[in-house]
C-alpha cells in the first residue's frame, strides 16, 4: 500500500476540558499519511497506553509539558511495529515504544521513540505497563524518593492500579510492611493475593484514618501517594519522623485551578523532618534501560505479577481514559488496535 493513499484514523483533541476529559472532548479526524522524510519511520500502532497523566496533557495549565493543541492528535504512548524506515537505527519489523499518539499510524522522528521493545521480555503489552511507564514509575519513584528500608512501613494509594500493583511488590521485596489503599473491596483483596500487600483498605471507609493507624502499628515511613485529597489527609497524621512522601499523582483532585484548599502541613514537615517530593518519570530516561532489565528479570522469573485490562478499537480510547477516573480499570488500561 502506498503511504500517500493510506488513510490514517486519528483521534484529535476537539475542546479543552477543565477537569477530567470525557469522550466529547475528542473527535475523529482521519487524514492521508504524509511521505516519510529522511530520518523518519512509519510505525503501525498495535497497543495504545491509557494513562491518568493524559488528563494533564490536555488541561490548560499547571503541568510539566505544553498541552496538546486543539485539533492535534491526542498525545499517547503506544507500542507499534516499524513498517517503513528512513532511519538506519530502526529496521522494518522491530517493535518500538514511544510517543505514537491515538492513531493507526505514526510518522515518527527518532526523538519520539523511547525504546526498541525486546520481545524476549514477554507479551508486547508488557512494554506499555509493567515494563513501560507504570513499572518504571513504580521502581524509580519508590527508590529515588521513597528509599524504603527493610522493616519500614510503606503506604500506597491507587494500590491495585498499574503503578500501585508494582510498588506493592517492590516494597515487599525490600522487606517492608506494605499497606495499600484502593477503591473497592475486590481490588483490596487482589492487592493482598497478588501484589505483595500485607493489608489493603478500601478508601471509601468512613473511618479511613483510624484504619490506616490500625494497619500501620509502627507508623508510616514511606507514603507513595497517587491521589492526594482526602485519602492523603487520612495518611499524613500517621507519618513517622523522617518519613518520605512520594507525590506521584493527584488523581483525587477533580480540578487543579483554582488550587484546592487543604490543611497546612508545614508544621508536620518541620517537626517530623518529612521529605515531600514530586516525581515525573520523564526526568529519568537515563535509567530506563537498567530498570527495564531488572523488572524484566523478575517478570521472566515469574516473581513480578501484572494485570492488563485491554479494550479493542481506536474509538474506545476516549471512553477508556474517562473510565480510569471512575476506577473502572482492573490493571493497566490498554487499547488494542
Ligand atoms: N508522576 C509520574 O511520572 C507518573 C507516571 C505514571 C503514573 N502516575 C500516576 O500514578 C497514578 C496511577 O496511574 P496508573 O497509570 O497506574 O493508573 P491506574 O492506577 O491503573 O488507574 C488509575 C486509578 O486511579 C484511581 N482513581 C481514579 N480516580 C480517583 C479518585 N477520584 N480518587 C481516588 N482514586 C482514584 C482508580 O483506582 P481505585 O479503584 O483504587 O480508586 C483508578 O483505577 C496516577 O495518579 C498517575 O497520574 C504518575
Amino acid at each position: 500500500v502506498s503511504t500517500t493513499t493510506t488513510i490514517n484514523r486519528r483521534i484529535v483533541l476537539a475542546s479543552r476540558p477543565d477537569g477530567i476529559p470525557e469522550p466529547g472532548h475528542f473527535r475523529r479526524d482521519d487524514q492521508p499519511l504524509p511521505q516519510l522524510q529522511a530520518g523518519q519511520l512509519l510505525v503501525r500502532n498495535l497497543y495504545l497506553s491509557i494513562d491518568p497523566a493524559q488528563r494533564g496533557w490536555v488541561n490548560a495549565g499547571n503541568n510539566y509539558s505544553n498541552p496538546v493543541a486543539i485539533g492535534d492528535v491526542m498525545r499517547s504512548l503506544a507500542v507499534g511495529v516499524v513498517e517503513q524506515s528512513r532511519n538506519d537505527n530502526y529496521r522494518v519489523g522491530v517493535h518500538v515504544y514511544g510517543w505514537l499518539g491515538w492513531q493507526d499510524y505514526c510518522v515518527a522522528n527518532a526523538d519520539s521513540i523511547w525504546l526498541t521493545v525486546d520481545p524476549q521480555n514477554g507479551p508486547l503489552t508488557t512494554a506499555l505497563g509493567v515494563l513501560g511507564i507504570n513499572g518504571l514509575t513504580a521502581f524509580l519513584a519508590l527508590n529515588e524518593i521513597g528509599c524504603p528500608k527493610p522493616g519500614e512501613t510503606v503506604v500506597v494509594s491507587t494500590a491495585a492500579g498499574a503503578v500501585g500493583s508494582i510498588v506493592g511488590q517492590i516494597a515487599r521485596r525490600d522487606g517492608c510492611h506494605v499497606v495499600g489503599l484502593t477503591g473497592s473491596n475486590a481490588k483490596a483483596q487482589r492487592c493482598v493475593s497478588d501484589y505483595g500487600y500485607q493489608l489493603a483498605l478500601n478508601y471509601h471507609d468512613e473511618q479511613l484514618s483510624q484504619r490506616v493507624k490500625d494497619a500501620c502499628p509502627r507508623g508510616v515511613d514511606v507514603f507513595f501517594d497517587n491521589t492526594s485529597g482526602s485519602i492523603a489527609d487520612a495518611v499524613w497524621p500517621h507519618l513517622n519522623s523522617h518519613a518520605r512522601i512520594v507525590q506521584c499523582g493527584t488523581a483525587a483532585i477533580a480540578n487543579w485551578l483554582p488550587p484546592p484548599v487543604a490543611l497546612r502541613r508545614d508544621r508536620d514537615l518541620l517537626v517530623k523532618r518529612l521529605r515531600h517530593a514530586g516525581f515525573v518519570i520523564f526526568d529519568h530516561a537515563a535509567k530506563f534501560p537498567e530498570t527495564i532489565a531488572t523488572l524484566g528479570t523478575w517478570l521472566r522469573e515469574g516473581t513480578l505479577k501484572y494485570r492488563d485490562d485491554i479494550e479493542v478499537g481506536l474509538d474506545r480510547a476516549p471512553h477508556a481514559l474517562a473510565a480510569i477516573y471512575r476506577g473502572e480499570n482492573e490493571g493497566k488500561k490498554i487499547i488494542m488496535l
Side-chain angles (χ1 to χ4, degrees):
V1 182
S2 153
T3 52
T4 49
T5 57
T6 301
I7 294 296
N8 188 24
R9 296 183 309 152
R10 314 179 326 154
I11 294 180
V12 302
L13 185 65
S15 60
R16 199 167 292 297
D18 287 330
I20 292 159
E22 295 293 336
H25 293 107
F26 301 94
R27 66 179 164 82
R28 274 277 297 280
D29 179 27
D30 301 352
Q31 295 285 338
L33 277 173
Q35 292 285 354
L36 289 195
Q37 306 295 313
Q40 290 185 320
L41 32 151
L42 178 69
V43 182
R44 179 165 60 85
N45 283 342
L46 301 172
Y47 297 101
L48 308 179
S49 180
I50 304 295
D51 291 294
Q54 286 175 296
R55 168 191 175 188
W57 305 341
V58 295
N59 269 264
N62 201 8
N63 212 338
Y64 47 76
S65 59
N66 290 330
V68 177
I70 303 293
D72 274 7
V73 173
M74 180 57 192
R75 186 181 302 155
S76 171
L77 291 163
V79 166
V81 59
V82 176
E83 292 215 327
Q84 295 176 24
S85 179
R86 294 192 61 193
N87 186 313
D88 291 342
N89 294 323
Y90 299 93
R91 53 181 179 76
V92 169
V94 298
H95 291 99
V96 291
Y97 173 52
W99 296 116
L100 301 173
W102 279 358
Q103 54 187 342
D104 281 331
Y105 290 92
C106 179
V107 173
N109 296 315
D111 60 8
S112 303
I113 306 300
W114 278 28
L115 32 96
T116 302
V117 176
D118 179 357
Q120 305 282 343
N121 279 330
L124 279 176
T125 56
T126 59
L128 289 179
V130 61
L131 302 181
I133 183 171
N134 312 94
L136 290 166
T137 297
F139 186 100
L140 291 167
L142 182 66
N143 288 321
E144 306 270 315
I145 299 176
C147 308
K149 298 187 225 10
E152 288 192 328
T153 295
V154 178
V155 173
V156 183
S157 55
T158 74
V163 171
S165 59
I166 311 296
V167 176
Q169 294 176 79
I170 299 172
R172 186 68 179 270
R173 290 182 90 96
D174 289 339
C176 298
H177 176 65
V178 197
V179 175
L181 307 177
T182 186
S184 76
N185 293 343
K187 286 188 180 184
Q189 260 173 18
R190 193 169 316 122
C191 284
V192 174
S193 58
D194 290 1
Y195 301 146
Y197 292 89
Q198 276 100 337
L199 276 164
L201 306 172
N202 182 337
Y203 61 70
H204 295 294
D205 192 314
E206 282 179 9
Q207 305 296 318
L208 182 62
S209 189
Q210 182 61 45
R211 300 274 176 270
V212 171
K213 187 176 183 204
D214 295 342
C216 306
R218 295 191 302 272
V220 179
D221 301 295
V222 178
F223 178 29
F224 195 110
D225 186 13
N226 283 321
T227 63
S228 181
S230 59
I231 298 167
D233 291 341
V235 177
W236 274 69
H238 312 300
L239 293 171
N240 288 331
S241 291
H242 303 285
R244 286 81 65 197
I245 304 100
V246 184
Q247 201 65 55
C248 182
T250 57
I253 305 296
N255 282 291
W256 299 324
L257 291 173
V261 175
L263 302 170
R264 293 218 68 106
R265 290 158 167 156
D266 314 303
R267 188 73 193 158
D268 272 352
L269 278 166
L270 166 70
V271 173
K272 293 186 176 176
R273 290 80 121 197
L274 304 176
R275 285 175 186 246
H276 185 189
F279 177 90
V280 174
I281 187 61
F282 311 120
D283 299 341
H284 299 267
K287 295 203 168 149
F288 290 176
E290 66 190 82
T291 307
I292 290 172
T294 303
L295 293 169
T297 303
W298 295 342
L299 204 58
R300 286 192 302 275
E301 287 171 0
T303 57
L304 184 62
K305 292 191 181 161
Y306 70 97
R307 188 174 170 123
D308 289 337
D309 179 342
I310 302 176
E311 268 185 77
V312 180
L314 178 68
D315 291 332
R316 294 303 300 165
H319 301 268
L321 180 56
I324 57 177
Y325 274 102
R326 294 190 297 267
E328 290 171 8
N329 59 311
E330 300 280 350
K332 172 67 187 178
K333 193 76 188 170
I334 291 171
I335 297 292
M336 184 168 86
L337 298 184

